[in-house]
């Protein structure tokens, strides 16, 4: 089993739709969590951190459920420019320098 | 700041040749990471350094791969000899000691024929 698992998709949604991605992690000692975005043939870039109480950044909402060991990302009112691959990232308490990336979920927003 | 700089951006080489990938991290960042990304395996951590010291190289696939960080502003990833299955995009990333966000370079797209 992979340390971080994501539904690869692809998710194909129309503009304006709300879409949610989930990510599960296996290490219960994991401490910090992030969502990165990767555009085609580009490098990953941080989208947002995920806090225990949940957090929102504009149209994006991230949630953490430690008991069930999953993280979610909700995108409201999706735009064409949201089309990308979204990577879930987990840092363990031990080996704190290391981040484990999920394989990503691909989103395509269509007109 | 210029961000993380990687060179070359593209490399095409023949099987058996030595390949050297280069990375300049963001100034002041204590951590440097080398990743490999393929469609089949996703983004894999190969090795990371803290203050120029290799901390975890468990992701290095085999002895053909080696990485060095002679100073805080430069790192290399070497493959010798290269094989077609090494074809991938290799990313370098860095981050400060106090922040978990990693900043990625643009990557080197390696093709081994």
């Amino acid at each position: 089993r992979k340390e971080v698992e994501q539904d690869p998709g692809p998710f194909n949604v129309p503009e304006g739709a709300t879409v949610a991605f989930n990510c599960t992690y296996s290490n219960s000692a994991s401490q910090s969590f992030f969502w990165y975005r990767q555009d085609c043939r580009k490098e990953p870039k941080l989208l947002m951190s995920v806090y225990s109480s949940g957090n929102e950044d504009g149209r994006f909402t991230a949630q953490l459920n430690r008991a069930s060991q999953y993280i979610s990302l909700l995108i409201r009112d999706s735009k064409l420019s949201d089309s990308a691959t979204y990577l879930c990232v987990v840092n363990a308490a031990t080996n704190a320098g290391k981040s484990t990336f999920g394989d990503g979920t691909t989103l395509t927003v269509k007109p | 700041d210029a961000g993380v700089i990687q060179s070359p951006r593209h490399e095409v080489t023949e099987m058996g040749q030595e390949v050297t990938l280069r990375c300049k991290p963001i100034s002041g960042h204590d951590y440097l990471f080398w990743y490999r990304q393929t469609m089949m395996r996703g983004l894999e951590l190969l090795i990371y350094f803290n203050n120029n010291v290799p901390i975890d190289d468990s992701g290095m696939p085999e002895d053909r791969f080696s990485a060095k960080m002679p100073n805080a502003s430069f790192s290399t990833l070497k493959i010798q000899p290269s094989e077609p299955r090494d074809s991938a995009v290799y990313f370098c990333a860095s981050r400060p000691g106090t922040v978990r966000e990693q900043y990625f370079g643009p990557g080197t797209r390696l093709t081994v024929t």
Side-chain angles (χ1 to χ4, degrees):
Chain A
R1 182 187 173 192
K2 289 190 174 184
E3 288 185 54
V4 178
E5 295 205 55
Q6 296 183 247
D7 180 347
F11 285 67
N12 297 307
V13 303
E15 269 187 292
T18 295
V19 61
F21 309 137
N22 288 330
C23 166
T24 58
Y25 59 95
S26 60
N27 186 347
S28 59
S30 297
Q31 260 193 346
S32 52
F33 310 88
F34 307 88
W35 284 101
Y36 278 66
R37 170 193 169 128
Q38 186 173 22
D39 293 299
C40 186
R41 302 180 77 85
K42 298 284 190 181
E43 70 273 23
K45 292 184 179 179
L46 179 70
L47 177 66
M48 59 195 301
S49 302
V50 185
Y51 302 119
S52 296
S53 56
N55 49 297
E56 189 173 302
D57 182 1
R59 298 181 294 107
F60 298 83
T61 301
Q63 297 277 355
L64 168 63
N65 184 321
R66 285 189 184 272
S68 302
Q69 294 181 206
Y70 81 79
I71 307 148
S72 64
L73 177 68
L74 182 78
I75 306 175
R76 291 182 300 278
D77 187 24
S78 52
K79 312 291 185 190
L80 296 176
S81 56
D82 294 333
S83 298
T85 297
Y86 292 84
L87 303 168
C88 172
V89 184
V90 174
N91 280 35
T94 55
N95 201 351
K98 177 179 174 178
S99 298
T100 302
F101 283 73
D103 289 341
T105 298
T106 299
L107 171 67
T108 301
V109 181
K110 300 187 174 181
Chain B
D1 201 320
V4 176
I5 298 172
Q6 290 188 247
S7 65
R9 295 291 305 276
H10 301 273
E11 177 81 36
V12 180
T13 191
E14 292 184 349
M15 183 173 64
Q17 297 298 307
E18 177 179 297
V19 175
T20 299
L21 311 181
R22 296 173 176 80
C23 175
K24 177 178 168 54
I26 294 172
S27 176
H29 283 194
D30 299 329
Y31 286 86
L32 183 140
F33 304 83
W34 282 102
Y35 292 90
R36 176 174 69 177
Q37 187 174 40
T38 61
M39 289 292 292
M40 291 297 294
R41 302 174 68 93
L43 193 65
E44 301 174 279
L45 177 65
L46 300 177
I47 184 172
Y48 79 91
F49 296 82
N50 180 211
N51 294 321
N52 313 337
V53 176
I55 302 300
D56 184 347
D57 65 354
S58 59
M60 295 286 261
E62 48 199 272
D63 291 346
R64 298 184 297 106
F65 285 69
S66 63
K68 293 182 179 179
M69 192 164 185
N71 57 62
S73 58
F74 184 65
S75 177
T76 59
L77 178 68
K78 186 176 293 186
I79 308 172
Q80 166 63 17
S82 57
E83 297 182 2
R85 59 194 169 119
D86 301 331
S87 298
V89 180
Y90 290 81
F91 288 106
C92 176
S94 69
R95 70 167 176 85
T98 54
V99 173
R100 294 299 180 92
E101 175 187 357
Q102 294 184 28
Y103 296 81
F104 282 76
T108 295
R109 187 169 297 274
L110 173 65
T111 303
V112 184
T113 61

